[in-house]
């Protein structure tokens, strides 16, 4: 049996054990229509990873699709019906059924003038890549591959059914999707695809920030995001998505040697991903950690200073970088919590380097934990990933120091509830003791007591009251008798 036949049989077998698809195909056939499994669902089936979310295409128009699934589907939604798509759920599977498309793009915006087609071949040629332009006709299990997608999948080559220039002019987001597939599936773009991406990267400006962000997030949570980022930078796409990343490629001269910040950041990204599974493992790819790892040094170009004697400094690059991260992620329409978390990690990523050989007081350790708050596990990984020195002795010393810091955090946490550092008196007690109504003074008193708690650890009640009264006297507040 040759390679192609084996792959076709794999699709047939996968579909044979998918009763939902077979049932649906029977309903369409009875109504006189064809139904095809298509696109990413076929690609994933060939890769042995068919999911319960399946994509279908058909010659039936949307109103006929709704009539055919009526009474069979457990739920039907028509939010995409203007584009010919009807959504269906059945026994845990989510199905999207779309009428053949033969769209025409104005090549100004991204949305096409929706036009329904009459043939599967006409539908497949308008798809983004050949590996997504394969279909299986479900009633006969016929495999349809007019653009060599099966061979491209075997070779892990990313190419377009039409010319890349036509495909990307129709929808520039496909260029970013190419980088995403490189990161997610380990594909290599065909030379003509890379050429078109390079020449047409500016077309990405036509795409909304929300759509760009969605593709970038999928890229970063792929198995090899470094490769996708490198493709974006090499083709110029990154200039329109994350210009700060190519901006880290600082010129290095023989008299002012320092690390290549761009390559260093990619290595930190790789190492952070490794730590996701080895250090306080997470079940899913951590988008916040990966963004922080990639962007943690973006403040360096703006803070670079050449020092006497040939040295280079980047004073306060973490402060500048945190502001830059916040601005960029807001522009990409990331949710507020993602913006805040990534910028805070960037702001804190250098804090550990003041630890030295354990010179921090317990107060400094408490502040480290309190400032990181819920981000502490991610901060641990980011700091460890940020060690990219080739000097094994230096790398081992840094990791040992961080091991010791984590051990200290654990010891202090056993004695004190570091996850919930609060003043030893709450707001109600403060108001009662000082005779204050709710307002700014109560907040000032609360912050004073919190700082005291960070510096000295837990205080007993009487000691806390004494310190509060002393602070009040300094502020000119006269507590009641």
């Amino acid at each position: 049996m040759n390679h192609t036949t084996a792959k076709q049989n794999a699709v047939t077998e996968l579909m044979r054990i998918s009763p939902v698809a077979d049932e649906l195909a029977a309903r369409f056939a009875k109504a006189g229509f064809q139904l095809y499994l298509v696109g990413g669902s076929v690609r994933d089936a060939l890769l042995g990873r068919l999911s319960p979310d399946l994509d279908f295409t058909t010659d039936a128009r949307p109103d006929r699709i709704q009539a055919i699934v009526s009474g069979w589907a457990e739920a039907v939604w028509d939010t995409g019906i203007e584009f010919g798509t009807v959504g269906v759920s059945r026994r845990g599977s989510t199905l999207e059924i779309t009428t053949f498309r033969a769209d025409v793009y104005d090549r100004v915006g991204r949305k096409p003038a929706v036009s329904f087609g009459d043939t599967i071949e006409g539908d497949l040629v308008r798809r983004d890549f050949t590996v997504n332009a394969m279909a299986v006709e479900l009633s006969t299990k016929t495999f349809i591959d007019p653009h060599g997608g099966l061979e491209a999948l075997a070779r892990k080559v990313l190419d377009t059914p039409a010319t890349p220039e036509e495909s990307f002019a129709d929808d520039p987001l496909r260029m970013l999707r190419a980088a995403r597939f490189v990161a997610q599936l380990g594909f290599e773009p065909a030379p003509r695809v890379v050429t078109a991406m390079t020449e047409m990267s500016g077309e990405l400006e036509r795409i909304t920030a929300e759509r760009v962000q969605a593709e970038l997030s999928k890229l970063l949570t792929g198995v090899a995001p470094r490769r996708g980022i490198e493709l974006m930078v090499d083709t110029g796409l990154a200039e329109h998505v994350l210009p700060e990343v190519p901006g880290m490629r600082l010129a290095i001269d023989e008299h002012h040697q320092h690390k290549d910040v761009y390559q260093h950041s990619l290595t930190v990204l790789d190492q952070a991903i490794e730590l996701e599974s080895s250090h306080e493992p997470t079940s899913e790819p951590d988008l916040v950690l990966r963004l922080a790892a990639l962007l943690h040094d973006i403040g360096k170009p703006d803070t670079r200073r050449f020092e006497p004697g040939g040295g280079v400094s980047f004073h306060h690059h973490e402060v500048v970088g945190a502001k830059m991260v916040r601005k960029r992620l807001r522009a990409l329409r990331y949710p507020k919590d993602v913006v805040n978390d990534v910028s805070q990690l960037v702001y804190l990523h250098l804090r550990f380097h003041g630890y030295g050989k354990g010179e921090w007081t317990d107060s400094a350790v408490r502040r480290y934990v309190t400032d990181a708050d819920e981000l502490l596990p991610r901060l641990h990984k980011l700091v460890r990933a940020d060690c990219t020195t080739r000097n094994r002795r230096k790398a081992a010393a840094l990791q040992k120091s961080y091991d010791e810091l984590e051990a200290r955090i654990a010891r202090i946490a056993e004695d004190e509830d570091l996850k919930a550092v609060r003043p030893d008196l709450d707001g109600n007690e403060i108001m009662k003791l000082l005779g204050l109504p709710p307002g700014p003074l109560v907040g000032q008193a609360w912050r004073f007591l919190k700082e005291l708690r960070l510096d000295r650890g837990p205080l007993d009640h009487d000691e806390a009251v004494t310190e509060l009264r002393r602070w009040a006297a300094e502020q000119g507040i006269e507590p009641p008798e």
Side-chain angles (χ1 to χ4, degrees), residues 282-328:
T282 55
S283 58
E284 298 291 335
D286 190 336
L287 176 64
V288 166
L289 176 63
R290 294 181 183 201
L291 280 166
L294 178 64
L295 303 177
H296 74 286
D297 274 347
I298 63 171
K300 279 192 170 180
D302 284 356
T303 58
R304 181 173 59 164
R305 299 290 181 272
F306 296 124
E307 304 292 347
V312 180
S313 66
F314 304 95
H315 293 308
H316 304 302
H317 77 266
E318 75 283 11
V319 178
V320 173
K323 292 178 180 177
M324 293 171 66
V325 163
R326 186 174 293 275
K327 181 178 179 181
R328 176 55 53 199

Side-chain angles (χ1 to χ4, degrees), residues 11 193 271 380:
V11 173
V193 169
Q271 295 183 167
H380 288 333

